Amino acid sequence: MDVSAWERRLVGRAPTLLAILGVAAAAVSLAHFLYDIETLGLGPLPVLSLGLCLSLSVGLFALSRWLAVSDLSVAGTWTVVRWSLGGMVGFGALTALTIGIRLAEGRTVGGASLGLLVMATGGGIGGGVAGVYYARANHAAREADRRRDALVFLNSHLRHNVLNAAQVIQGYTTLLGERDDEPDEYLEPIERRSDTIASLIEDMRELADLFSGERTPVPTDISTLLLREVETARANHEAATFEVDVPPELYVMATGAVSAVFANLLQNAVEHHDGTAPTVTVSAERTPRTVLVHVADDGPGIRDDVKENLFDSAIESGEGRGIALVKTLMNHYGGNVSVSDNDPRGTEVVVEFRRPPPQ
């Protein structure tokens, strides 16, 4: 589910909003208790009402704490906050409306503020709990859709790549059979393609485990994996320049298959360049809840009409297979991928990973 930019920036403060509401409820409860003492004196009923209100405030604090350490996505976090605020406003409004009707009828309504506080706070807790279940249910439904699409992609990806590599090997083998002299110039591409098939099958094993649910995202240090893929890209593209700014120990929720994300982004940055000496800039940064990895090139860029639908093409199509793999993996990691123009020229792709929840 897409979320707005301000929601991504403020997601770390979302639990604080519920905590502030808990503090406000506790302060109003204490003020009501002091007023009861002045008018009724200290007795069991004022103490009981204070205990009831403070317990509801503690409920909001508990919901805030749970949200702060949960593994919910940005969209899921804001879903809980919206449901909690909706429950608080809804129940508070109904109670206020009931009190207003009674007053309009000329009746005396005693302890109206206490009833309003209890109903509003209780509605906030109930709405928040309902929001948790709603966010979890939506997440489960999206995961089911993603796994279905991922299996379609996995089948197409494997068939396409293995078939191409096998055809190349078969072609060179045929040429070797037709030659009488030393066939060394054909042995190297055969060996290279064989290694590609072996590597591809290993990647498919990682992806199959991930998509089937047997291997779930765990705290993974992507800095080492990212630097390894950069070195591989340097070896494969000697004319390209790779500028790297990646801090150590970038732990995110991912699996070993995350290497395929970086490999495809780096390969796209070089292969889609229109010059002979491309420059690719790789950087990473931490935010309170995420880690952002930037891969920027100085190539021709992507047309706006292509950019708008870059992630919408069918994943089983042959076009954009690399970016489709990146998007599919980031979906399973609960992350995001976006593309924009680089300044002054080229394309920048940003992949956003979830950081592990605080221990």
Side-chain angles (χ1 to χ4, degrees):
M1 180 184 296
D2 294 331
V3 295
S4 61
W6 71 267
E7 287 178 319
R8 290 190 178 279
R9 289 195 300 268
L10 298 179
V11 66
R13 295 186 172 90
T16 305
L17 178 58
L18 296 182
I20 291 174
L21 293 176
V23 171
V28 174
S29 302
L30 184 58
H32 188 274
F33 175 70
L34 295 176
Y35 175 79
D36 282 347
I37 291 179
E38 289 180 359
T39 56
L40 304 176
L42 182 61
L45 292 181
V47 173
L48 180 61
S49 65
L50 176 64
L52 174 61
C53 294
L54 289 182
S55 66
L56 292 174
S57 299
V58 170
L60 284 176
F61 280 117
L63 183 60
S64 170
R65 173 61 181 169
W66 180 89
L67 197 60
V69 300
S70 72
D71 60 350
L72 285 178
S73 64
V74 174
T77 298
W78 284 111
T79 294
V80 175
V81 173
R82 291 190 187 99
W83 277 67
S84 182
L85 292 177
M88 183 172 292
V89 171
F91 277 81
L94 286 174
T95 304
L97 180 60
T98 302
I99 295 172
I101 292 174
R102 291 301 186 186
L103 292 175
E105 292 174 346
R107 302 185 185 186
T108 301
V109 181
S113 60
L114 177 62
L116 182 62
L117 175 64
V118 170
M119 292 301 294
T121 309
I125 296 174
V129 173
V132 171
Y133 282 101
Y134 181 81
R136 293 292 191 190
N138 275 349
H139 177 74
R142 288 195 301 270
E143 282 298 309
D145 289 340
R146 288 170 181 170
R147 288 185 181 180
R148 179 200 61 205
D149 291 342
L151 289 176
V152 174
F153 171 78
L154 186 62
N155 174 60
S156 175
H157 187 69
L158 183 63
R159 184 177 66 247
H160 174 83
N161 287 279
V162 173
L163 181 59
N164 283 352
Q167 288 174 340
V168 172
I169 290 177
Q170 290 171 351
Y172 278 106
T173 303
T174 301
L175 291 175
L176 280 174
E178 296 174 352
R179 293 191 54 164
D180 297 329
D181 56 344
E182 187 66 33
D184 287 346
E185 64 178 289
Y186 294 105
L187 292 179
E188 182 179 350
I190 289 178
E191 182 180 3
R192 188 167 59 248
R193 291 292 181 170
S194 298
D195 292 342
T196 298
I197 291 179
S199 176
L200 179 62
I201 294 300
E202 179 62 24
D203 288 344
M204 290 303 101
R205 184 184 64 81
E206 288 274 0
L207 295 175
D209 288 345
L210 175 65
F211 296 155
S212 66
E214 295 181 8
R215 186 169 299 179
T216 58
V218 296
T220 304
D221 181 9
I222 61 171
S223 61
T224 303
L225 300 176
L226 178 55
L227 293 175
R228 186 184 68 188
E229 292 302 328
V230 170
E231 291 305 313
T232 300
R234 280 199 178 107
N236 293 335
H237 307 282
E238 297 180 356
T241 299
F242 293 88
E243 300 176 351
V244 181
D245 181 15
V246 177
E249 297 185 355
L250 290 174
Y251 281 92
V252 303
M253 299 303 293
T255 66
V258 72
S259 295
V261 171
F262 306 135
N264 277 280
L265 293 181
L266 294 170
Q267 182 176 346
N268 284 344
V270 175
E271 292 187 350
H272 294 163
H273 202 280
D274 58 350
T276 58
T279 297
V280 180
T281 302
V282 181
S283 61
E285 60 176 315
R286 297 182 180 91
T287 73
R289 296 285 291 270
T290 63
V291 167
L292 304 177
V293 177
H294 304 254
V295 178
D297 63 63
D298 59 349
I302 302 176
R303 299 196 319 270
D304 289 339
D305 58 326
V306 175
K307 196 185 309 172
E308 290 177 0
N309 303 303
L310 186 61
F311 304 117
D312 297 336
S313 59
I315 57 177
E316 66 268 20
S317 70
E319 299 297 327
R321 188 175 298 272
I323 201 67
L325 175 59
V326 171
K327 180 64 174 178
T328 301
L329 281 171
M330 294 308 298
N331 281 342
H332 279 271
Y333 295 153
N336 189 52
V337 55
S338 60
V339 60
S340 61
D341 293 332
N342 193 21
D343 185 24
R345 185 176 189 267
T347 301
E348 180 180 33
V349 180
V350 180
V351 284
E352 180 182 32
F353 296 89
R354 292 182 297 132
R355 295 182 65 177
Q359 299 297 325

